Amino acid sequence: MRRSLITLLVLALLAVGCGGKSPAAATPESGLPADAAEVAAERGLTPDDVYAAVKTYTPSGQLDPYLMIASGGQSGQMLVVGVPSMRILKVIGVFTPEPWQGYGFGGSGNEILKGGDLPDQEIRWGDTHHPGLSETAGEYDGQFVFINDKANARLAVVDLRDFETKQIVKNPNSMIDHGGTFVTPNTEYVVEGPQYAAPIGSGYASLDDYADLYRGLITFWKFDRVTGRVDPAKSFQIELPPYWQDLCDAGKGVSDGWVFCNSFNTELATGGVELGNPSFEAGTTKNDTDYLHIFNWKQAEQVFQAGQFETINGMAVIRMQTAIDENILYFTPEPKSPHGADVTPGGEYVVVGGKLDPHVTIYSFEKIQAAIAAGGLATDQYGVPVIPLDASMEAQVELGLGPLHTVYDDKGYAYTSLFLDSAVARWTLGGPYSDKHAEEPWTLVQKLPVQYNIGHIAAAEGDTASPDGGYVVALNKWSIDRFANVGPLLPQNFQLIDSSQPGDQMRLLYDMPIGMAEPHYAQIIKADKIKAFEVYPEVGWNPETMAVDPNAITAPDQARIERNGNQVEIWMAVVRSHFTPEQVELKQGDHVIWHLTNLERSRDATHGFALSGYNINLSLEPGETQTIEFDAHMSGTFNYFCTEFCSALHLEMVGYMLVEP
Ligand code: CUK
Ligand code: CUA
């Protein structure tokens, strides 16, 4: 029935011509079923609208073929969105406590969040920018996703078996980062690019000493797939000039072993508009070019393993002079205020958008290598060899105003976000991509307006060695008039674009408001690559260790309370629709260690555990074990109750915790 309706709709679209702008001839003669035609007419839908509806409508029970993992901006979280339905599936607590996931309210999430604290400062938010899916041979493998916190220079690891954060590491030598996370093609390293320069370790230094004491710092976090953790002891950093390194990308295919970061503020501006100095926005944009940073990370890894580093705050730092002497670091000029640096699927080119330049500049990895091999390069003021632009550049393509970020598809097209134009530019790649499309190489094919001020752009499997094509998502910064007015703080707008047809046939399909933060980047992975647990594999599973917890119980009759002096330890069973025990008697000042195991084996049989007054809240997914520990410092009558409506007798899933004064 449903299938035949869609067939009819599609036939109708063909009949009325999908490209037209006039309202659909919503009559039975159009081929639309009478009731659908009436709805389309009533709502004033054009054939384009009907096309978009049919492309995105996902009937109940049908699954999306793609998942988009988006940064959650200032919320500190990550979002999981189905594509093309653009249904939000999950908010993952990362740098900010997330009550729905029971993350950061007494369970193991507290320890994970603590991993990102400064020595003397707790931090409970983040500004997430760039999710990076783990890769095997340059393809997303669906195992992990990483993300940075720009605000505090931290990196988080999320395991895609349960979509939960497992680790947060604090960069000990930076207070801020930006150009990460992205992975090397086999996830050997998760790279955290820097941003605003500071003394290494972020100690005090006068801005008068900027050129001498301030530095950039790129971090290569070693990732261990078996433990699912970053290993700081096997990680290293490279000291850089105090240019503001921005976004980075890893080489792949022919350029595997290299990393590329753009930069701005080669002017070494230090601001001070209030003192009559040029403002940062003027001072950092004086030069016509900044430097694309080119790193040989495989060489850096060897230098690190040979011990040619200094240990600063427990972290190995390869000094700038070592990086120069050991042929790790090169520069090449890039036009005005560059932003994205995006490597093509085969690794042949790096595309850089200059925010104040109407072109994208395409660098050839082969030419870069030839220039390095030829030697005789001039250097910048810090002694870093600079490859002249005409020796590294393959092409420039004029796209429009404010080119930022670029992604790729399977048809030899690149897609660049144009911030000032509020448009997505589709253009053709040359070289080995020339025979994939009908147009001339390195030419603009189409500019599709978006609403408004697009920042990042994401494509299906877009950062892999073999992008899919079909969908592109514009991550727009402003939404202005797109949605009902909800006050002066407006949502961001994700816009889904159909990129399945060649030439100038891109179409806008769907608007999705993001009413919780400003996402920056997103990656889109084939949904069937992710093999997430339906329930935890065994009863008693500890999601932090990804193994059965020694304090798990497997049946309600193992539940018990043991007192040892003023320490009380509780082993609690959680199953529809009761907790065992239901009465916990404590004395004020007791130290309480409380283990909870959800014995359920049915999918979605999650129980919550909220303990009133004590700021404790857990989400216990089927099979999960969590432990909370606290001092019963307040006397009184408290309830613990289930916060997930798990059964008809969910309200009865409650217990009393009595604390005797
Ligand atoms: S940045 Cu926000 S639009 Cu952090 Cu990748 Cu370009
Ligand atoms: Cu368990 Cu509600």
Side-chain angles (χ1 to χ4, degrees):
M1 179 69 186
R2 181 178 288 142
R3 197 166 291 273
S4 64
L5 177 62
I6 289 178
T7 311
L8 281 168
L9 277 167
V10 171
L11 287 172
L13 287 167
L14 293 173
V16 300
C18 310
K21 290 275 182 254
S22 60
T27 62
E29 297 81 60
S30 74
L32 283 169
D35 46 359
E38 263 166 47
V39 174
E42 239 169 58
R43 301 192 66 206
L45 300 182
T46 66
D48 274 350
D49 297 333
V50 178
Y51 175 87
V54 177
K55 280 287 278 192
T56 53
Y57 175 67
T58 306
S60 178
Q62 281 194 21
L63 308 185
D64 284 300
Y66 291 99
L67 293 182
M68 174 163 62
I69 315 268
S71 87
Q74 315 91 325
S75 74
Q77 318 296 49
M78 266 196 271
L79 306 175
V80 185
V81 176
V83 175
S85 74
M86 305 306 277
R87 296 178 296 197
I88 186 158
L89 304 179
K90 195 163 210 172
V91 175
I92 307 173
V94 184
F95 295 108
T96 306
E98 174 55 59
W100 171 60
Q101 286 191 310
Y103 178 69
F105 296 93
S108 55
N110 285 40
E111 287 307 309
I112 294 163
L113 285 160
K114 261 185 212 157
D117 285 342
L118 298 184
D120 297 313
Q121 178 62 53
E122 182 177 273
I123 296 174
R124 288 295 173 274
W125 79 290
D127 184 13
T128 59
H129 277 240
H130 307 103
L133 286 157
S134 59
E135 295 181 13
T136 299
E139 304 290 346
Y140 304 148
D141 55 35
Q143 293 184 2
F144 299 93
V145 62
F146 311 95
I147 197 156
N148 69 314
D149 165 22
K150 169 171 169 164
N152 307 288
R154 301 180 298 170
L155 176 142
V157 180
V158 172
D159 191 323
L160 293 177
R161 281 175 292 177
D162 62 358
F163 285 72
E164 289 194 2
T165 301
K166 303 298 172 182
Q167 185 186 25
I168 298 176
V169 285
K170 171 78 190 94
N171 184 330
N173 288 323
S174 300
M175 207 55 87
I176 226 159
D177 69 19
H178 182 244
T181 58
F182 61 94
V183 299
T184 54
N186 284 299
T187 320
E188 297 94 337
Y189 292 94
V190 186
V191 187
E192 179 193 350
Q195 185 130 79
Y196 310 121
I200 295 176
S202 297
Y204 172 83
S206 166
L207 283 166
D208 295 339
D209 298 323
Y210 185 87
D212 295 332
L213 298 182
Y214 282 58
R215 289 292 178 265
L217 199 63
I218 187 170
T219 309
F220 291 77
W221 293 103
K222 180 74 188 164
F223 185 65
D224 182 338
R225 250 180 222 276
V226 177
T227 62
R229 298 290 190 276
V230 156
D231 183 353
K234 292 188 180 146
S235 306
F236 63 89
Q237 302 183 306
I238 304 172
E239 178 190 20
L240 304 172
Y243 311 144
W244 291 354
Q245 292 80 20
D246 193 20
L247 212 52
C248 310
D249 200 1
K252 50 179 172 268
V254 293
S255 54
D256 186 13
W258 295 73
V259 154
F260 310 91
C261 299
N262 54 42
S263 68
F264 56 111
N265 199 15
T266 48
E267 297 85 350
L268 306 183
T270 56
V273 67
E274 67 285 1
L275 304 171
N277 299 335
S279 65
F280 274 120
E281 60 178 330
T284 61
T285 52
K286 260 198 338 239
N287 294 350
D288 281 336
T289 55
D290 293 288
Y291 290 128
L292 178 68
H293 291 41
I294 302 162
F295 299 89
N296 184 341
W297 69 258
K298 288 208 169 147
Q299 175 72 2
E301 181 183 51
Q302 286 188 7
V303 164
F304 164 61
Q305 284 165 356
Q308 288 175 264
F309 59 82
E310 277 177 43
T311 302
I312 305 176
N313 295 319
M315 189 87 182
V317 179
I318 297 173
R319 287 292 188 183
M320 187 157 60
Q321 194 57 52
T322 309
I324 295 166
D325 295 344
E326 297 297 330
N327 307 316
I328 291 170
L329 178 63
Y330 299 90
F331 290 159
T332 195
E334 47 184 2
K336 277 192 126 20
S337 297
H339 191 41
D342 296 291
V343 175
T344 51
E348 307 86 352
Y349 307 108
V350 186
V351 175
V352 171
K355 291 173 299 210
L356 303 180
D357 183 272
H359 301 90
V360 283
T361 303
I362 298 103
Y363 297 88
S364 153
F365 181 72
E366 198 182 317
K367 289 186 178 177
I368 288 169
Q369 290 306 303
I372 291 172
L377 297 170
T379 62
D380 82 328
Q381 58 184 302
Y382 290 93
V384 180
V386 179
I387 304 164
L389 183 57
D390 57 8
S392 61
M393 192 177 87
E394 179 74 24
Q396 280 189 319
V397 185
E398 186 169 341
L399 300 180
L401 300 180
L404 298 184
H405 300 286
T406 300
V407 292
Y408 306 100
D409 72 2
D410 58 337
K411 300 178 199 60
Y413 293 126
Y415 301 81
T416 299
S417 54
L418 302 176
F419 179 82
L420 298 173
D421 270 350
S422 290
V424 169
R426 174 189 252 183
W427 53 280
T428 54
L429 296 171
Y433 302 92
S434 299
D435 55 2
K436 288 180 177 264
H437 48 75
E439 299 87 352
E440 285 288 295
W442 313 124
T443 31
L444 176 63
V445 174
Q446 186 187 3
K447 265 164 82 167
L448 181 75
V450 292
Q451 285 80 29
Y452 302 85
N453 294 74
I454 177 174
H456 267 282
I457 186 168
E461 297 268 318
D463 288 314
T464 68
S466 57
D468 274 11
Y471 297 109
V472 162
V473 174
L475 283 70
N476 305 331
K477 301 297 182 189
W478 291 40
S479 63
I480 309 181
D481 56 1
R482 292 293 104 176
F483 307 109
N485 186 4
V486 289
L489 178 60
L490 271 55
Q492 313 292 307
N493 189 5
F494 281 10
Q495 286 188 305
L496 180 68
I497 293 166
D498 174 9
S499 63
S500 60
Q501 302 306 311
D504 60 356
Q505 298 297 309
M506 281 193 295
R507 294 156 173 250
L508 206 55
L509 296 178
Y510 196 78
D511 281 24
M512 179 200 187
I514 305 291
M516 58 168 289
E518 184 194 313
H520 288 258
Y521 193 43
Q523 286 187 328
I524 302 172
I525 180 174
K526 279 194 188 82
D528 62 10
K529 283 187 173 179
I530 293 180
K531 310 280 183 234
F533 296 146
E534 295 189 345
V535 297
Y536 278 116
E538 291 177 61
V539 167
W541 197 263
N542 178 331
E544 193 186 0
T545 58
M546 286 298 216
V548 171
D549 191 290
N551 282 302
I553 55 175
T554 52
D557 62 7
Q558 296 162 15
R560 63 194 186 276
I561 302 176
E562 289 177 8
R563 174 176 285 279
N564 191 347
N566 72 341
Q567 179 163 307
V568 178
E569 192 159 2
I570 303 162
W571 287 265
M572 175 173 270
V574 183
V575 72
R576 273 167 290 176
S577 297
H578 55 274
F579 297 105
T580 314
E582 291 186 327
Q583 299 175 358
V584 171
E585 303 248 11
L586 302 170
K587 295 199 169 34
Q588 192 171 9
D590 279 346
H591 183 70
V592 184
I593 303 169
W594 194 323
H595 313 287
L596 302 97
T597 301
N598 179 345
L599 302 177
E600 303 278 357
R601 303 309 290 147
S602 316
R603 221 178 155 189
D604 212 358
T606 294
H607 298 286
F609 175 85
L611 178 54
S612 59
Y614 273 86
N615 198 37
I616 285 170
N617 178 45
L618 302 176
S619 170
L620 299 160
E621 285 97 64
E624 179 169 351
T625 292
Q626 283 282 342
T627 295
I628 54 176
E629 204 171 333
F630 62 96
D631 291 321
H633 62 98
M634 293 180 288
S635 65
T637 301
F638 302 90
N639 283 111
Y640 44 91
F641 66 96
C642 176
T643 58
E644 287 265 342
F645 210 108
C646 52
S647 72
L649 296 178
H650 149 81
L651 291 177
E652 289 76 2
M653 193 165 177
V654 65
Y656 276 97
M657 182 181 87
L658 305 179
V659 185
E660 191 185 330

PDB file of all heavy atoms in Angstrom, residues 454-478:
ATOM      1  N   ILE A 454      26.849  29.431   5.630  1.00  0.00           N
ATOM      2  CA  ILE A 454      27.318  28.068   5.847  1.00  0.00           C
ATOM      3  C   ILE A 454      28.746  28.068   6.398  1.00  0.00           C
ATOM      4  O   ILE A 454      29.588  28.846   5.968  1.00  0.00           O
ATOM      5  CB  ILE A 454      27.224  27.274   4.525  1.00  0.00           C
ATOM      6  CG1 ILE A 454      27.787  25.856   4.683  1.00  0.00           C
ATOM      7  CG2 ILE A 454      27.937  28.001   3.379  1.00  0.00           C
ATOM      8  CD1 ILE A 454      27.581  24.993   3.452  1.00  0.00           C
ATOM      9  N   GLY A 455      28.986  27.195   7.373  1.00  0.00           N
ATOM     10  CA  GLY A 455      30.347  27.000   7.881  1.00  0.00           C
ATOM     11  C   GLY A 455      30.913  25.741   7.273  1.00  0.00           C
ATOM     12  O   GLY A 455      31.394  25.730   6.136  1.00  0.00           O
ATOM     13  N   HIS A 456      30.786  24.658   8.011  1.00  0.00           N
ATOM     14  CA  HIS A 456      31.275  23.390   7.471  1.00  0.00           C
ATOM     15  C   HIS A 456      30.262  22.788   6.512  1.00  0.00           C
ATOM     16  O   HIS A 456      29.121  23.243   6.385  1.00  0.00           O
ATOM     17  CB  HIS A 456      31.541  22.402   8.613  1.00  0.00           C
ATOM     18  CG  HIS A 456      32.948  22.435   9.105  1.00  0.00           C
ATOM     19  ND1 HIS A 456      33.983  21.827   8.427  1.00  0.00           N
ATOM     20  CD2 HIS A 456      33.488  22.989  10.215  1.00  0.00           C
ATOM     21  CE1 HIS A 456      35.109  22.003   9.116  1.00  0.00           C
ATOM     22  NE2 HIS A 456      34.844  22.722  10.200  1.00  0.00           N
ATOM     23  N   ILE A 457      30.702  21.733   5.890  1.00  0.00           N
ATOM     24  CA  ILE A 457      29.911  20.995   4.923  1.00  0.00           C
ATOM     25  C   ILE A 457      30.312  19.537   5.131  1.00  0.00           C
ATOM     26  O   ILE A 457      31.457  19.260   5.470  1.00  0.00           O
ATOM     27  CB  ILE A 457      30.244  21.547   3.516  1.00  0.00           C
ATOM     28  CG1 ILE A 457      29.366  20.961   2.450  1.00  0.00           C
ATOM     29  CG2 ILE A 457      31.699  21.376   3.150  1.00  0.00           C
ATOM     30  CD1 ILE A 457      29.524  21.739   1.118  1.00  0.00           C
ATOM     31  N   ALA A 458      29.376  18.626   5.000  1.00  0.00           N
ATOM     32  CA  ALA A 458      29.699  17.208   5.197  1.00  0.00           C
ATOM     33  C   ALA A 458      29.123  16.414   4.040  1.00  0.00           C
ATOM     34  O   ALA A 458      28.073  16.773   3.506  1.00  0.00           O
ATOM     35  CB  ALA A 458      29.116  16.701   6.515  1.00  0.00           C
ATOM     36  N   ALA A 459      29.807  15.360   3.633  1.00  0.00           N
ATOM     37  CA  ALA A 459      29.327  14.523   2.534  1.00  0.00           C
ATOM     38  C   ALA A 459      29.325  13.070   2.985  1.00  0.00           C
ATOM     39  O   ALA A 459      30.086  12.684   3.876  1.00  0.00           O
ATOM     40  CB  ALA A 459      30.217  14.693   1.306  1.00  0.00           C
ATOM     41  N   ALA A 460      28.467  12.267   2.347  1.00  0.00           N
ATOM     42  CA  ALA A 460      28.359  10.860   2.713  1.00  0.00           C
ATOM     43  C   ALA A 460      29.715  10.183   2.510  1.00  0.00           C
ATOM     44  O   ALA A 460      30.252  10.194   1.397  1.00  0.00           O
ATOM     45  CB  ALA A 460      27.284  10.189   1.869  1.00  0.00           C
ATOM     46  N   GLU A 461      30.250   9.623   3.594  1.00  0.00           N
ATOM     47  CA  GLU A 461      31.575   8.978   3.566  1.00  0.00           C
ATOM     48  C   GLU A 461      32.620   9.932   2.989  1.00  0.00           C
ATOM     49  O   GLU A 461      33.600   9.510   2.372  1.00  0.00           O
ATOM     50  CB  GLU A 461      31.519   7.678   2.748  1.00  0.00           C
ATOM     51  CG  GLU A 461      30.601   6.611   3.329  1.00  0.00           C
ATOM     52  CD  GLU A 461      31.308   5.642   4.267  1.00  0.00           C
ATOM     53  OE1 GLU A 461      32.422   5.215   3.949  1.00  0.00           O
ATOM     54  OE2 GLU A 461      30.734   5.325   5.339  1.00  0.00           O
ATOM     55  N   GLY A 462      32.403  11.228   3.217  1.00  0.00           N
ATOM     56  CA  GLY A 462      33.139  12.266   2.508  1.00  0.00           C
ATOM     57  C   GLY A 462      34.617  12.370   2.790  1.00  0.00           C
ATOM     58  O   GLY A 462      35.360  12.880   1.964  1.00  0.00           O
ATOM     59  N   ASP A 463      35.076  11.933   3.962  1.00  0.00           N
ATOM     60  CA  ASP A 463      36.499  12.044   4.274  1.00  0.00           C
ATOM     61  C   ASP A 463      37.247  10.746   4.034  1.00  0.00           C
ATOM     62  O   ASP A 463      38.376  10.587   4.476  1.00  0.00           O
ATOM     63  CB  ASP A 463      36.682  12.460   5.745  1.00  0.00           C
ATOM     64  CG  ASP A 463      36.286  13.911   5.963  1.00  0.00           C
ATOM     65  OD1 ASP A 463      36.699  14.758   5.163  1.00  0.00           O
ATOM     66  OD2 ASP A 463      35.550  14.186   6.930  1.00  0.00           O
ATOM     67  N   THR A 464      36.611   9.812   3.366  1.00  0.00           N
ATOM     68  CA  THR A 464      37.262   8.513   3.171  1.00  0.00           C
ATOM     69  C   THR A 464      37.992   8.488   1.829  1.00  0.00           C
ATOM     70  O   THR A 464      37.905   9.428   1.031  1.00  0.00           O
ATOM     71  CB  THR A 464      36.233   7.373   3.176  1.00  0.00           C
ATOM     72  OG1 THR A 464      35.420   7.499   1.990  1.00  0.00           O
ATOM     73  CG2 THR A 464      35.334   7.433   4.398  1.00  0.00           C
ATOM     74  N   ALA A 465      38.676   7.376   1.593  1.00  0.00           N
ATOM     75  CA  ALA A 465      39.364   7.191   0.322  1.00  0.00           C
ATOM     76  C   ALA A 465      38.363   6.922  -0.802  1.00  0.00           C
ATOM     77  O   ALA A 465      38.718   6.988  -1.980  1.00  0.00           O
ATOM     78  CB  ALA A 465      40.361   6.039   0.437  1.00  0.00           C
ATOM     79  N   SER A 466      37.103   6.612  -0.457  1.00  0.00           N
ATOM     80  CA  SER A 466      36.085   6.357  -1.482  1.00  0.00           C
ATOM     81  C   SER A 466      34.740   6.929  -1.046  1.00  0.00           C
ATOM     82  O   SER A 466      33.870   6.209  -0.583  1.00  0.00           O
ATOM     83  CB  SER A 466      35.950   4.845  -1.730  1.00  0.00           C
ATOM     84  OG  SER A 466      35.636   4.180  -0.520  1.00  0.00           O
ATOM     85  N   PRO A 467      34.575   8.250  -1.212  1.00  0.00           N
ATOM     86  CA  PRO A 467      33.306   8.877  -0.815  1.00  0.00           C
ATOM     87  C   PRO A 467      32.133   8.282  -1.596  1.00  0.00           C
ATOM     88  O   PRO A 467      32.316   7.765  -2.702  1.00  0.00           O
ATOM     89  CB  PRO A 467      33.506  10.348  -1.193  1.00  0.00           C
ATOM     90  CG  PRO A 467      34.963  10.537  -1.371  1.00  0.00           C
ATOM     91  CD  PRO A 467      35.518   9.212  -1.786  1.00  0.00           C
ATOM     92  N   ASP A 468      30.927   8.384  -1.006  1.00  0.00           N
ATOM     93  CA  ASP A 468      29.749   7.788  -1.625  1.00  0.00           C
ATOM     94  C   ASP A 468      29.039   8.704  -2.607  1.00  0.00           C
ATOM     95  O   ASP A 468      28.504   8.240  -3.595  1.00  0.00           O
ATOM     96  CB  ASP A 468      28.739   7.406  -0.545  1.00  0.00           C
ATOM     97  CG  ASP A 468      29.035   6.031   0.024  1.00  0.00           C
ATOM     98  OD1 ASP A 468      30.122   5.495  -0.264  1.00  0.00           O
ATOM     99  OD2 ASP A 468      28.175   5.511   0.752  1.00  0.00           O
ATOM    100  N   GLY A 469      28.963   9.986  -2.321  1.00  0.00           N
ATOM    101  CA  GLY A 469      28.086  10.840  -3.109  1.00  0.00           C
ATOM    102  C   GLY A 469      26.645  10.634  -2.694  1.00  0.00           C
ATOM    103  O   GLY A 469      26.344   9.787  -1.859  1.00  0.00           O
ATOM    104  N   GLY A 470      25.743  11.412  -3.268  1.00  0.00           N
ATOM    105  CA  GLY A 470      24.320  11.272  -2.967  1.00  0.00           C
ATOM    106  C   GLY A 470      23.808  12.362  -2.039  1.00  0.00           C
ATOM    107  O   GLY A 470      22.812  12.998  -2.332  1.00  0.00           O
ATOM    108  N   TYR A 471      24.512  12.566  -0.915  1.00  0.00           N
ATOM    109  CA  TYR A 471      24.067  13.572   0.042  1.00  0.00           C
ATOM    110  C   TYR A 471      25.217  14.457   0.505  1.00  0.00           C
ATOM    111  O   TYR A 471      26.327  13.976   0.727  1.00  0.00           O
ATOM    112  CB  TYR A 471      23.461  12.919   1.285  1.00  0.00           C
ATOM    113  CG  TYR A 471      22.227  12.115   0.996  1.00  0.00           C
ATOM    114  CD1 TYR A 471      22.249  10.731   1.065  1.00  0.00           C
ATOM    115  CD2 TYR A 471      21.042  12.753   0.655  1.00  0.00           C
ATOM    116  CE1 TYR A 471      21.114   9.985   0.810  1.00  0.00           C
ATOM    117  CE2 TYR A 471      19.900  12.016   0.387  1.00  0.00           C
ATOM    118  CZ  TYR A 471      19.938  10.624   0.465  1.00  0.00           C
ATOM    119  OH  TYR A 471      18.818   9.898   0.206  1.00  0.00           O
ATOM    120  N   VAL A 472      24.895  15.720   0.630  1.00  0.00           N
ATOM    121  CA  VAL A 472      25.794  16.691   1.234  1.00  0.00           C
ATOM    122  C   VAL A 472      24.956  17.431   2.274  1.00  0.00           C
ATOM    123  O   VAL A 472      23.762  17.673   2.051  1.00  0.00           O
ATOM    124  CB  VAL A 472      26.337  17.663   0.151  1.00  0.00           C
ATOM    125  CG1 VAL A 472      26.903  18.924   0.759  1.00  0.00           C
ATOM    126  CG2 VAL A 472      27.385  16.961  -0.720  1.00  0.00           C
ATOM    127  N   VAL A 473      25.542  17.738   3.416  1.00  0.00           N
ATOM    128  CA  VAL A 473      24.822  18.513   4.431  1.00  0.00           C
ATOM    129  C   VAL A 473      25.551  19.832   4.650  1.00  0.00           C
ATOM    130  O   VAL A 473      26.764  19.850   4.883  1.00  0.00           O
ATOM    131  CB  VAL A 473      24.692  17.732   5.759  1.00  0.00           C
ATOM    132  CG1 VAL A 473      24.081  18.613   6.845  1.00  0.00           C
ATOM    133  CG2 VAL A 473      23.846  16.490   5.554  1.00  0.00           C
ATOM    134  N   ALA A 474      24.804  20.918   4.547  1.00  0.00           N
ATOM    135  CA  ALA A 474      25.333  22.251   4.830  1.00  0.00           C
ATOM    136  C   ALA A 474      25.078  22.550   6.300  1.00  0.00           C
ATOM    137  O   ALA A 474      23.946  22.426   6.776  1.00  0.00           O
ATOM    138  CB  ALA A 474      24.632  23.289   3.963  1.00  0.00           C
ATOM    139  N   LEU A 475      26.121  22.925   7.023  1.00  0.00           N
ATOM    140  CA  LEU A 475      25.981  23.249   8.449  1.00  0.00           C
ATOM    141  C   LEU A 475      25.993  24.773   8.573  1.00  0.00           C
ATOM    142  O   LEU A 475      27.042  25.405   8.618  1.00  0.00           O
ATOM    143  CB  LEU A 475      27.121  22.619   9.256  1.00  0.00           C
ATOM    144  CG  LEU A 475      27.020  21.101   9.529  1.00  0.00           C
ATOM    145  CD1 LEU A 475      27.234  20.281   8.270  1.00  0.00           C
ATOM    146  CD2 LEU A 475      28.022  20.676  10.579  1.00  0.00           C
ATOM    147  N   ASN A 476      24.790  25.346   8.581  1.00  0.00           N
ATOM    148  CA  ASN A 476      24.667  26.798   8.481  1.00  0.00           C
ATOM    149  C   ASN A 476      24.682  27.463   9.840  1.00  0.00           C
ATOM    150  O   ASN A 476      24.070  26.983  10.785  1.00  0.00           O
ATOM    151  CB  ASN A 476      23.378  27.167   7.753  1.00  0.00           C
ATOM    152  CG  ASN A 476      23.295  26.506   6.395  1.00  0.00           C
ATOM    153  OD1 ASN A 476      24.320  26.233   5.768  1.00  0.00           O
ATOM    154  ND2 ASN A 476      22.092  26.209   5.950  1.00  0.00           N
ATOM    155  N   LYS A 477      25.355  28.605   9.885  1.00  0.00           N
ATOM    156  CA  LYS A 477      25.541  29.302  11.156  1.00  0.00           C
ATOM    157  C   LYS A 477      24.332  30.143  11.547  1.00  0.00           C
ATOM    158  O   LYS A 477      24.077  30.368  12.710  1.00  0.00           O
ATOM    159  CB  LYS A 477      26.752  30.228  11.064  1.00  0.00           C
ATOM    160  CG  LYS A 477      28.058  29.509  10.742  1.00  0.00           C
ATOM    161  CD  LYS A 477      28.419  28.549  11.840  1.00  0.00           C
ATOM    162  CE  LYS A 477      29.742  27.855  11.587  1.00  0.00           C
ATOM    163  NZ  LYS A 477      29.949  26.789  12.569  1.00  0.00           N
ATOM    164  N   TRP A 478      23.665  30.693  10.569  1.00  0.00           N
ATOM    165  CA  TRP A 478      22.538  31.582  10.847  1.00  0.00           C
ATOM    166  C   TRP A 478      21.286  30.934  10.265  1.00  0.00           C
ATOM    167  O   TRP A 478      21.357  30.285   9.221  1.00  0.00           O
ATOM    168  CB  TRP A 478      22.757  32.963  10.189  1.00  0.00           C
ATOM    169  CG  TRP A 478      23.858  33.772  10.815  1.00  0.00           C
ATOM    170  CD1 TRP A 478      25.057  33.312  11.257  1.00  0.00           C
ATOM    171  CD2 TRP A 478      23.870  35.181  11.054  1.00  0.00           C
ATOM    172  NE1 TRP A 478      25.804  34.340  11.754  1.00  0.00           N
ATOM    173  CE2 TRP A 478      25.101  35.509  11.648  1.00  0.00           C
ATOM    174  CE3 TRP A 478      22.944  36.198  10.814  1.00  0.00           C
ATOM    175  CZ2 TRP A 478      25.440  36.807  12.018  1.00  0.00           C
ATOM    176  CZ3 TRP A 478      23.284  37.493  11.181  1.00  0.00           C
ATOM    177  CH2 TRP A 478      24.517  37.796  11.781  1.00  0.00           C
TER     178      TRP A 478
END
